[in-house]
């Protein structure tokens, strides 16, 4: 068998269903081998960055690494932003790129760049396949590395001359690793810390979702009865109507929940990734920390660990819940929960929504009302991301995708394609600003071509709203943040996609109900004030 045939067999062994990418000369044999697979479908995209975004969101939702590919040089280089996004957001991705033949790499060659060096800072592992016989080992290591510990990106490149080299068929078995358990002594120390505290406050991070520990967290919170807040990427763990749900934090010094955190005497931090928000921005008083995670915390003066429970989060919480978790119910002062609900528009009188002007917060309430529990919302980056993180309440954990590590504009449209392929039976709604939409709008052709019924909502205000607000605050004025847009409905129609431009919330509510039932992509152009 030629080397790429063995490589594809290895991908099949890993459970790969889709490979996102663009064909190039150096990947012709790889794509030809994929074309003969009965399991794997190659998804041709319009830009390699889109391929990496699709693979990242697919990997996050499918709970196994997404796969993308590109040719050498500019093709591989275009993967970089998407791989960096996967790395910082904790999404498992394996990227496989072509490369110049080994006999061409010692001199200046057409399109040759040492891409493994370029990719090293933005991946967990970056390597070149130098011997075709090592393909089974390197593919197995790539998938293991992408998914173990904190999920992330892996980059492999296959020199063109090795792609056709004959090698014997071989795949390596996937060994199920036993989760690391904390010691009973650390669990007892954690219980002791809880008993000594009077006002503990729970902070939930996205690793709770990744390690499938949501039920255990809910059981722990039910016993403890202390207030709880989530990072942006962990929304949905606690039900919206839970009395101790203080919703989210992670944008700025004005996050309302921070005043409640300041009253605590112990912070129980479960599966939180500081890539979302540094401790100095939410633990201003250096409150002692009970650290529950599968990874050691980084040294940080604003993260003073009093007790740490190290091990797989699900198992750690099971052990904690088996012991006598003390009841520590308390309520932060100042009617904080109600203030958050009102300020972030989490609760609105629905009868008044239809009569009011268009706004992102009201759109989010209609999405909540009209979609099923398994609906997936993919948010782009911009001012609307803050509204989504604060206002929208997903019904299931992990069903709201927000890039809050690298926070890459342009992720939502290709990400919604990856989401729909990972969750074919779930409604998928993409919410993007016009700035992010124009970065990756071409990927709508992919959704139309392969028949994916995704709903794309473009918030059209012809300005980088978040940057405008920050400039006005810092300089008293804004500049270089406005732009013109094409007619998004005409642009969507040119792709063969239905488009709607509702003029009121009533229009949106009526059309959205129809849109989520259609078996084809649909686009909404939401005209918002420019300033």
């Amino acid at each position: 068998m030629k080397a790429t045939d063995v490589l594809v067999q290895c991908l099949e062994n890993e459970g790969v269903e889709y490979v996102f990418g663009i064909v190039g000369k150096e990947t012709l044999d790889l794509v030809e081998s994929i074309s003969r697979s009965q399991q794997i479908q190659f998804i041709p995209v319009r830009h390699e960055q889109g391929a990496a975004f699709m693979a990242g969101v697919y990997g996050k939702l499918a709970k196994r690494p997404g796969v993308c590919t590109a040719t050498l040089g500019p093709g591989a280089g275009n993967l970089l932003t998407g791989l960096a996004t996967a790395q910082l957001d904790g999404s498992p991705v394996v990227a496989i790129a072509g490369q110049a033949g080994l006999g061409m790499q010692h001199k200046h060659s057409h399109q040759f760049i040492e891409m493994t060096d370029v990719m090293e800072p933005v991946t967990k592992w970056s390597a070149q396949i130098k011997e075709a016989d090592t393909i089974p080992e390197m593919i197995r290591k790539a998938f293991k590395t992408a998914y173990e510990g904190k999920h992330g990106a892996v980059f492999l490149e296959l020199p063109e001359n090795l792609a056709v080299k004959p090698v014997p068929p071989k795949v390596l078995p996937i060994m199920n690793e036993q989760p690391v358990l904390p010691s009973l002594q650390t669990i007892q120390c954690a219980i002791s810390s809880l008993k000594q505290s009077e006002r503990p406050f729970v902070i939930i991070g996205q690793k709770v979702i990744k390690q499938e520990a949501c039920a255990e967290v809910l059981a722990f919170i039910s016993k403890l009865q202390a207030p709880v807040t989530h990072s942006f990427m962990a929304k949905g763990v606690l039900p919206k109507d839970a009395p101790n749900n203080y919703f989210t934090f992670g944008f700025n010094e004005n996050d309302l929940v921070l005043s409640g955190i300041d009253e605590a005497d112990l912070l129980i931090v479960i599966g939180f990734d500081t890539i979302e928000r540094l401790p100095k921005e939410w633990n201003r008083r250096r409150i002692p920390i009970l650290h529950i995670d599968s990874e050691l915390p980084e040294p940080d003066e604003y993260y003073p660990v009093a007790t740490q429970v190290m091990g797989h989060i699900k198992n750690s919480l099971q052990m904690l819940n088996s012991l006598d978790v003390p009841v520590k119910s308390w309520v932060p002062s100042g009617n904080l929960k109600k203030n958050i609900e009102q300020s972030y528009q989490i609760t609105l009188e629905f009868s008044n929504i239809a009569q009011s002007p268009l706004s992102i917060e009201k759109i989010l309430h209609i999405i909540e009302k009209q979609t099923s529990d398994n609906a997936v919302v993919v948010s782009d980056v911009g001012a609307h991301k803050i509204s989504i993180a604060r206002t929208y309440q997903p019904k299931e954990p992990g069903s709201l995708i927000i890039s809050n590590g690298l926070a890459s504009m342009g992720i939502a449209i290709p990400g919604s394609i990856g989401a729909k392929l990972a969750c074919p039976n779930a409604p998928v709604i993409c919410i993007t600003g016009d700035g992010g939409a124009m970065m990756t709008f071409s990927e709508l052709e992919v959704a139309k071509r392969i028949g994916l019924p995704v709903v794309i909502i473009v918030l059209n205000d012809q300005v980088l709203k978040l940057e405008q607000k920050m400039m006005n605050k810092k300089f008293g004025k804004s500049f270089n943040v406005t732009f013109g847009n094409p007619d998004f409905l005409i642009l969507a129609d040119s792709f063969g996609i239905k488009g709607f431009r509702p003029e009121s919330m009533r229009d949106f509510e009526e059309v959205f109900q129809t849109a989520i039932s259609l078996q084809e992509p649909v686009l909404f152009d939401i005209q918002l004030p420019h300033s």
Side-chain angles (χ1 to χ4, degrees):
M1 300 178 70
K2 67 178 180 180
T4 55
D5 289 339
V6 174
L7 194 154
V8 169
Q9 282 190 343
C10 293
L11 296 181
E12 291 172 337
N13 183 56
E14 299 290 344
V16 174
E17 298 177 296
Y18 303 101
V19 174
F20 306 95
I22 296 178
V23 180
K25 173 178 173 291
E26 288 72 21
T27 58
L28 293 179
D29 283 280
L30 174 60
V31 176
E32 189 272 335
S33 295
I34 293 172
S35 74
R36 290 186 278 106
S37 172
Q38 299 299 307
Q39 174 181 314
I40 302 173
Q41 180 181 354
F42 187 83
I43 306 291
V45 304
R46 306 314 300 261
H47 193 284
E48 292 89 352
Q49 178 175 286
F53 282 151
M54 292 176 201
V57 175
Y58 174 90
K60 185 180 286 287
L61 290 169
K63 295 182 169 40
R64 58 177 175 271
V67 181
C68 56
T69 187
T71 191
L72 81 174
N78 284 341
L79 294 173
L80 192 144
T81 298
L83 295 185
T85 298
Q87 179 73 1
L88 295 193
D89 283 351
S91 301
V93 172
V94 173
I96 303 170
Q99 183 54 286
L102 292 171
M104 303 294 291
Q105 294 183 21
H106 65 286
K107 55 186 175 182
H108 293 296
S109 299
H110 179 64
Q111 292 190 305
F112 172 66
I113 296 175
E114 293 278 5
M115 288 307 303
T116 54
D117 292 344
V118 173
M119 294 294 185
E120 185 174 358
V122 301
T123 58
K124 295 180 73 176
W125 183 44
S126 178
Q128 182 181 97
I129 299 172
K130 298 183 184 296
E131 294 286 347
D133 291 346
T134 65
I135 285 174
E137 288 183 354
M138 294 189 74
I139 293 296
R140 177 80 280 272
K141 179 179 177 180
F143 278 77
K144 182 176 184 292
T145 302
Y147 204 70
E148 69 181 0
K150 181 185 175 182
H151 301 169
V154 168
F155 176 80
L156 293 180
E157 61 179 18
L158 178 64
E160 184 180 18
N161 65 302
L162 295 187
V164 295
K165 187 173 180 180
V167 291
K170 183 181 180 182
V171 297
L172 296 186
I174 300 172
M175 308 298 291
N176 292 323
E177 297 185 4
Q178 295 298 315
V180 177
L181 300 179
S183 68
L184 181 59
Q185 181 181 2
T186 61
I187 294 293
Q188 291 171 337
C189 286
I191 293 292
S192 177
S193 294
L194 292 174
K195 289 181 176 178
Q196 291 172 21
S197 71
E198 295 182 358
R199 298 179 306 281
F201 206 115
V202 181
I203 296 175
I204 299 175
Q206 68 163 335
K207 281 183 277 185
V208 166
I209 299 172
K210 290 180 179 179
Q211 297 187 21
E212 300 181 347
C214 296
E216 288 73 18
V217 164
L218 290 176
F220 175 72
I221 291 168
S222 176
K223 289 171 176 282
L224 189 69
Q225 298 183 25
V228 181
T229 187
H230 309 71
S231 74
F232 283 6
M233 296 162 75
K235 290 191 71 171
V237 173
L238 206 61
K240 176 181 179 178
D241 58 357
N244 50 350
N245 187 352
Y246 284 75
F247 308 103
T248 54
F249 75 102
F251 178 55
N252 62 22
E253 68 278 5
N254 295 321
D255 282 327
L256 295 180
V257 74
L258 297 184
S259 65
I261 290 175
D262 284 347
E263 293 183 51
D265 60 5
L266 178 70
L267 301 183
I268 306 166
V269 183
I270 310 176
F272 179 77
D273 192 336
T274 56
I275 200 74
E276 287 199 76
R277 202 70 181 161
L278 290 173
K280 71 176 182 179
E281 295 167 333
W282 49 266
N283 191 13
R284 301 170 291 198
R285 292 182 48 243
R286 299 177 177 85
I287 300 164
I289 301 252
L290 167 53
H291 177 81
I292 303 175
D293 208 315
S294 56
E295 297 174 275
L296 289 168
E298 289 192 52
D300 190 316
E301 65 174 301
Y302 291 90
Y303 199 87
V305 177
T307 307
Q308 59 185 28
V309 177
M310 293 296 302
H312 193 278
I313 296 171
K314 183 183 186 76
N315 299 94
S316 296
L317 289 170
Q318 286 174 343
M319 292 176 68
L320 266 173
N321 291 336
S322 69
L323 300 180
D324 183 22
V325 175
V327 175
K328 296 290 180 176
S329 57
W330 68 282
V331 177
S333 62
N335 210 2
L336 180 61
K337 182 177 173 67
K338 186 175 181 179
N339 290 342
I340 293 173
E341 289 175 334
Q342 292 177 343
S343 178
Y344 297 168
Q345 300 184 49
I346 293 169
T347 56
L348 288 176
E349 286 294 330
F350 209 89
S351 59
N352 297 330
I353 289 178
Q355 309 297 330
S356 57
L358 290 161
S359 78
I360 176 59
E361 289 80 12
K362 292 162 192 168
I363 286 170
L364 293 171
H365 277 276
I366 288 175
I367 292 172
E368 273 188 55
K369 176 188 176 186
Q370 294 192 358
T371 55
S372 56
D373 288 358
N374 65 338
V376 176
V377 171
V378 183
S379 172
D380 217 309
V381 173
H384 63 277
K385 183 184 90 169
I386 309 305
S387 297
I388 293 169
R390 289 176 168 175
T391 302
Y392 181 70
Q393 302 302 312
K395 302 179 183 77
E396 292 185 355
S399 61
L400 173 61
I401 304 298
I402 294 182
S403 175
N404 204 38
L406 192 64
S408 303
M409 283 182 67
I411 190 175
I413 290 177
S416 66
I417 293 171
K420 189 63 181 179
L421 291 171
C423 306
N425 297 319
V428 173
I429 298 99
C430 158
I431 305 177
T432 179
D434 43 8
M438 287 298 291
M439 291 182 177
T440 50
F441 202 91
S442 60
E443 303 302 346
L444 278 181
E445 187 275 331
V446 179
K448 177 65 178 178
R449 177 180 1 109
I450 62 179
L452 293 181
V454 294
V455 176
I456 311 295
I457 299 173
V458 180
L459 305 171
N460 185 355
D461 57 11
Q462 301 183 40
V463 64
L464 298 175
K465 180 73 74 175
L466 186 58
E467 286 70 22
Q468 183 186 55
K469 289 180 177 179
M470 290 189 292
M471 280 185 168
N472 286 336
K473 180 179 178 180
K474 188 171 186 177
F475 306 115
K477 60 180 180 179
S478 64
F479 35 84
N480 300 327
V481 292
T482 59
F483 41 78
N485 282 326
D487 187 312
F488 285 113
L489 297 193
I490 294 175
L491 192 55
D493 184 65
S494 71
F495 285 107
I497 292 174
K498 288 184 179 179
F500 302 95
R501 184 177 290 131
E503 296 184 358
S504 67
M505 289 308 306
R506 182 180 296 280
D507 289 346
F508 177 80
E509 183 177 12
E510 292 174 353
V511 179
F512 181 76
Q513 194 166 22
T514 300
I516 58 176
S517 65
L518 295 176
Q519 295 304 304
E520 59 181 311
V522 176
L523 182 137
F524 284 87
D525 178 9
I526 306 296
Q527 302 274 323
L528 297 176
H530 295 181
S531 60

